[in-house]
Amino acid sequence: YSGNISIQSPTRLPEVISNSAEYMEMYNRAAYRQNLPFKYDEEEIEIYRNPPDSLKHEYPNFDAYDYWYRNATVHNHNISVAGGGENSMYNASFSYLNQNAIIPGYRFKRYNALINYTLDINKWLTLGTIANVTYKYDKKPPMHDVFMPLYITCTNPLNETYLPDGSGRVVSQAYRGEPRQRNPAEIYLMGTYYSRENNLNGQVYIDLKPFKGLTWTTKFAIDYVDRFFKKHQQYYTTNYLHFKSRGDYVTSPGSVDKPGVTDDYLKESTPTLYSVVNYQAIFGENHDFNALAGYEQISFRRQALRVNRPRSAFPRLSELQAYSSTDQSLFPGDAGKRLPKYEDPEEWAMQSF
């Protein structure tokens, strides 16, 4: 057995302005030069400069890097066993990887098993097999890769992630009218993304040595991939920090990259047949003879299906068929309006049975 637990952390982060008053003054100077309509009032800047203790969360100096980036743990474990007898040998191992990310919402898991077995039936016949099986699970926010670090970097210091009333509602902007900068927490409101992948790499081989100098090796191998990913995005609302109506924070609609549910299925298989005969002989003291003949056949098959449900009566449901089609219609003239933008009858791309 071998294993380790490690911790990952950012080695270095860019220096950004986390002082709100300084940010507002610098923004105003740039706005005057470019003749932008929105500018911060001096009274607002002064409140951010010296907020009373009771309003620290209403007028914060928010550091997005300090809030979003964190240490992440990585677990890596491996168990292996080996043995055999006079005519056989085996080797088996199992490994497990669990990796978090330095930004919340990411997780990667991998399970891997490897088996290797060889059997010498007699002096001229050997059988063997190797099998490698892997399972991977990857969870991310619906907009990932470079987007999350960019959203964190572009976050201004004027508002914290959530409203100060403890309701858990996400803040989109401090003031109505200021440049729109997406709060990273909006990505988590938007939905989820995850993928599963199964891999099988196996082979069986036979070595024949019927007489001295002749070796005939035949192998059959297959590489199989079964992958699935789901992406779910829904419309959501956020709130302004310093814009209220009737005593409550005014809501602001969030923007969605691709609303709805997308399921993607992929299967790939690559079977391979390989056979080669090699004959070696020595004649006299200075003559060598070597003859080689072989055959190889490789096939490839790929099957893919992507299904998208852009609209739904219940957009929060993340399954394609999470509800009944009762009282829903394909045509716009009917009450259900399952697909309201379709003007003519259309055949369904995928039907349920």
Side-chain angles (χ1 to χ4, degrees):
Y1 168 81
S2 64
N4 64 77
I5 300 176
S6 58
I7 297 178
Q8 296 178 332
S9 61
T11 55
R12 185 176 180 181
L13 293 172
E15 294 184 5
V16 295
I17 299 174
S18 58
N19 183 283
S20 295
E22 181 183 1
Y23 172 87
M24 298 165 81
E25 291 173 341
M26 294 183 67
Y27 171 85
N28 280 353
R29 288 197 291 268
Y32 280 116
R33 287 196 299 267
Q34 299 184 35
N35 195 27
L36 298 179
F38 178 84
K39 301 176 182 65
Y40 297 105
D41 295 337
E42 291 299 325
E43 294 181 358
E44 297 167 345
I45 297 176
E46 191 59 32
I47 296 177
Y48 269 99
R49 195 187 314 277
N50 297 297
D53 292 338
S54 59
L55 298 177
K56 289 288 186 180
H57 296 290
E58 291 273 359
Y59 301 93
N61 294 308
F62 182 66
D63 189 334
Y65 282 146
D66 183 65
Y67 181 87
W68 287 106
Y69 284 100
R70 62 181 185 180
N71 294 334
T73 57
V74 180
H75 293 258
N76 200 343
H77 305 276
N78 181 271
I79 299 175
S80 62
V81 59
E86 182 179 354
N87 299 320
S88 63
M89 180 179 66
Y90 66 88
N91 189 328
S93 65
F94 175 80
S95 64
Y96 167 69
L97 173 67
N98 187 344
Q99 182 175 8
N100 292 316
I102 58 177
I103 299 176
Y106 293 78
R107 169 160 289 190
F108 177 76
K109 292 183 179 182
R110 186 188 67 210
Y111 302 86
N112 178 258
L114 174 65
I115 299 175
N116 188 346
Y117 179 73
T118 302
L119 174 63
D120 294 327
I121 297 179
N122 49 47
K123 293 182 179 180
W124 55 271
L125 178 59
T126 300
L127 301 178
T129 181
I130 300 174
N132 189 353
V133 181
T134 304
Y135 170 78
K136 301 176 184 177
Y137 175 81
D138 191 10
K139 182 182 179 182
K140 305 174 184 178
M143 299 184 68
H144 41 268
D145 298 331
V146 300
F147 292 103
M148 288 300 291
L150 285 176
Y151 291 144
I152 295 173
T153 300
C154 294
T155 301
N156 71 46
L158 302 185
N159 57 267
E160 297 178 346
T161 302
Y162 301 100
L163 290 173
D165 61 356
S167 63
R169 291 177 289 177
V170 172
V171 180
S172 60
Q173 297 165 265
Y175 293 95
R176 188 179 185 183
E178 69 178 342
R180 179 76 164 91
Q181 297 180 6
R182 179 176 271 168
N183 185 337
E186 296 181 42
I187 308 303
Y188 303 102
L189 290 179
M190 187 185 300
T192 57
Y193 174 101
Y194 71 87
S195 65
R196 299 189 302 264
E197 182 175 325
N198 297 282
N199 299 92
L200 169 63
N201 187 293
Q203 61 175 276
V204 178
Y205 63 90
I206 302 175
D207 285 343
L208 289 172
K209 298 179 181 179
F211 54 85
K212 183 178 179 181
L214 180 67
T215 302
W216 183 9
T217 300
T218 301
K219 295 182 180 180
F220 175 77
I222 185 167
D223 186 13
Y224 176 75
V225 177
D226 187 336
R227 184 168 65 243
F228 166 78
F229 83 76
K230 176 184 287 291
K231 184 176 183 180
H232 173 222
Q233 292 189 17
Q234 60 179 338
Y235 291 101
Y236 61 93
T237 58
T238 56
N239 297 85
Y240 297 104
L241 178 61
H242 298 304
F243 182 44
K244 295 184 178 181
S245 176
R246 297 180 180 179
D248 196 11
Y249 300 93
V250 175
T251 61
S252 170
S255 59
V256 179
D257 174 49
K258 187 176 181 180
V261 178
T262 299
D263 283 4
D264 188 283
Y265 304 84
L266 174 67
K267 297 180 185 293
E268 293 180 344
S269 61
T270 309
T272 303
L273 177 63
Y274 169 86
S275 184
V276 62
V277 178
N278 186 15
Y279 178 72
Q280 295 178 333
I282 299 176
F283 302 96
E285 296 182 357
N286 302 316
H287 301 281
D288 295 336
F289 178 79
N290 193 337
L292 180 69
Y295 170 81
E296 184 178 28
Q297 177 179 315
I298 300 177
S299 303
F300 177 77
R301 180 180 177 85
R302 186 177 192 269
Q303 189 177 29
L305 173 66
R306 172 171 290 192
V307 186
N308 176 251
R309 187 200 70 201
R311 301 173 193 86
S312 167
F314 307 99
R316 291 194 175 188
L317 298 179
S318 61
E319 297 299 326
L320 287 170
Q321 303 172 5
Y323 53 88
S324 171
S325 59
T326 303
D327 297 328
Q328 298 187 48
S329 173
L330 180 65
F331 313 123
D334 298 332
K337 292 187 178 182
R338 191 180 185 104
L339 298 177
K341 289 188 177 181
Y342 278 50
E343 297 180 357
D344 300 313
E346 298 284 346
E347 180 68 19
W348 282 58
M350 186 177 72
Q351 298 183 3
S352 304
F353 297 94

